[in-house]
Amino acid sequence: MSTHIAAKKEDVAPLVLLPGDPLRAKFIAENFLENAVCYNTVRGAFGFTGRYKGSRVSVQSTGMGAPSISIYANELFKEYGVKKAIRIGTAGAIQKDLNARDLVIALSASTDSAINPRRFNGGSYAACACFKLLRAAYQAAQNAGIEPHCGGVFTTDLFYDENCAWKIWARYGALAVEMETAELYTLAAKFGVSALSILTISDSLVTGESLESGERERGFKQMMSVGLETLIAP
Ligand code: HPA
């Protein structure tokens, strides 16, 4: 039992997939897991544990933004002993050669969030992925016939940003913008957890391209199975 997760420690598996959207967590439990049991409904942040290809895995929704994923990651890592955590989510492309439906594996996450300067006394922290998970995800994507983009992402606090802050991060090589990875990677480092973000491009801030809902669904299913394959890789 933690503040935001009403489960016993043993109800949550050491391997966790982290979608932002609670309904996506439910979809994964219903379509990819065997014998899935819901262990959390607090604030509608559904969490399920079941089996994927024989391995016990959990799927916990994190909500949107760094403060929200921070709450769930802190509790999962500190109270539930989670060892591997893979975020699956959407991101906006900020390079012109990335298109809607492309898969991005986040090598690192720069951020404009105030959380890390506060945590590191004004310093900026190089939040980076677990190499072993990254390699497994790259392999899982290739096995599924997908060539993923691997590179830095920009974790922002503002979805609706009138100042287009993403442009300077794009100028320095970030591939896509999203809202959670920097905090996930930072907390994973703190607690000795292996973490990775696998992202599907849902829209492009460069071209204005945006996925219609059917295409969104197909891209998400691909990402879910790449995420699960990565989670259970040795
Ligand atoms: N901004 C932030 N997060 C996102 C976006 C975006 O444009 N698209 C998908 N996630």
Side-chain angles (χ1 to χ4, degrees), residues 87 90-93 154 156 158-160 177-179 200 202-203 205:
R87 160 167 155 69
T90 55
F154 167 45
T156 187
L158 281 181
F159 186 92
Y160 298 107
V177 57
E178 53 82 75
M179 303 183 73
T200 299
S202 57
D203 53 288
L205 281 70

Side-chain angles (χ1 to χ4, degrees), residues 6 11 29 60-61 65 69 109-111 131 160-161 229 234:
D11 291 342
Q60 172 64 55
S61 56
I69 198 169
S110 304
T111 185
F131 175 71
Y160 298 107
D161 182 4
E229 291 294 328

Side-chain angles (χ1 to χ4, degrees), residues 128-186:
C128 59
C130 162
F131 175 71
K132 225 177 138 187
L133 281 184
L134 185 111
R135 191 174 52 182
Y138 186 75
Q139 194 60 58
Q142 288 214 317
N143 292 347
I146 305 162
E147 188 57 39
H149 302 268
C150 296
V153 301
F154 167 45
T155 299
T156 187
D157 273 351
L158 281 181
F159 186 92
Y160 298 107
D161 182 4
E162 63 204 296
N163 295 317
C164 300
W166 61 270
K167 287 188 176 170
I168 187 68
W169 301 93
R171 174 74 187 78
Y172 283 75
L175 300 179
V177 57
E178 53 82 75
M179 303 183 73
E180 293 83 14
T181 298
E183 182 63 2
L184 173 65
Y185 285 3
T186 305

Side-chain angles (χ1 to χ4, degrees), residues 2 16-17 37 40-41 57-58 68 72 77 107-108 126 140 145 150 154 162 180 193 203 208 211 214 220 225-226:
S2 61
V16 181
L17 208 58
V37 172
N40 189 57
T41 59
V57 304
S58 294
S68 186
Y72 294 100
F77 299 169
L107 216 56
S108 64
C150 296
F154 167 45
E162 63 204 296
E180 293 83 14
V193 168
D203 53 288
L211 280 186
F220 293 163
S225 63
V226 171

